[in-house]
């Protein structure tokens, strides 16, 4: 509350370089300096040297129709993602969400009708107290006027730690992890997460959304691992 009030009364300064911004959290040069993931695979957001489709997606396309990760998981984005996930730094959700929303509003393609944040397992949600994906999705939903589905998707199975696993192993590990109870018949949705690694989590959630009737499914992440 005090922060909000201070924000309105004091001229907004860039969070990184302290330059006056007249509103946004970062000044324009600092925004441009971020590790945007502009050259990436259109299907899985894998960072590439030029836009296109990566060999893995040509071999086996993901269940979602398109993927977009705003940034590469590099400093300073990496620090922001970490601070949000492990230290409840919700200012980072606002920053990431607003930067994502700006890009999304500028794109040519139609925006989805509904955002579905990747759910945490209830036990993990209880321990952490919040879902970082939902915090980012909330900011995008508000900025882009897209409906937000916070509890239609449930994580019904705990999955083992996937660090170091191959794409195929991650896919097997995620099998049956989600159920979607919202009726998505005929709808265009976007799944939202903080970090996209191989896309196995999005892939499994997309399977559940497809079963619930979704006709177009995009996968959006704040950051993509290389
Ligand atoms: Zn700046
Ligand atoms: Zn790909």
């Amino acid at each position: 509350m005090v922060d909000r009030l201070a924000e309105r009364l004091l001229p907004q300064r860039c969070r990184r370089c302290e330059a006056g911004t007249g509103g946004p959290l970062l000044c324009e040069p600092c925004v441009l300096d971020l590790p945007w993931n502009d050259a990436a695979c259109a299907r899985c957001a894998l960072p590439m040297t030029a836009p296109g489709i990566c060999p893995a997606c040509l071999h086996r396309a993901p269940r979602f129709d398109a993927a977009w990760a705003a940034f590469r998981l590099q400093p300073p984005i990496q620090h922001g993602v970490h601070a949000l996930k492990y230290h409840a730094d919700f200012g980072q959700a606002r920053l990431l969400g607003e930067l994502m929303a700006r890009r999304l509003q500028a794109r040519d393609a139609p925006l989805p009708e509904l955002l579905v944040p990747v759910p945490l397992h209830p036990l993990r949600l209880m321990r952490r107290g919040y879902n970082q994906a939902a915090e980012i999705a909330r900011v995008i939903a508000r900025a882009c006027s897209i409906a937000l589905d916070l509890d239609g998707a449930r994580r019904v199975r705990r999955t083992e730690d996937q660090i170091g696993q191959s794409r195929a192993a991650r896919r097997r590990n995620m099998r049956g992890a989600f159920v979607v109870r919202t009726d998505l018949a005929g709808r265009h949705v976007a799944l939202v997460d903080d970090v996209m690694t191989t896309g196995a989590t999005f892939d499994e959630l997309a399977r559940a959304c497809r079963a619930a009737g979704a006709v177009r499914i995009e996968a959006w992440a704040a950051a993509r691992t290389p």
Side-chain angles (χ1 to χ4, degrees), residues 158-202:
R158 298 191 75 178
T159 46
E160 301 144 43
D161 204 336
Q162 307 207 83
I163 293 164
Q165 289 185 9
S166 72
R167 184 162 157 142
R170 283 176 187 240
R171 272 196 172 130
R172 279 195 303 276
N173 186 24
M174 289 305 297
R175 181 103 206 192
F178 301 106
V179 290
V180 171
R181 300 189 307 180
T182 305
D183 179 10
L184 299 177
R187 304 185 82 181
H188 172 192
V189 304
L191 318 178
V192 181
D193 211 349
D194 55 342
V195 175
M196 179 174 187
T197 305
T198 59
T201 303
F202 276 138

Side-chain angles (χ1 to χ4, degrees), residues 41 43-46 53-54 57 167:
C41 173
R43 291 303 298 268
C44 76
L46 181 76
I53 306 287
C54 79
C57 287
R167 184 162 157 142

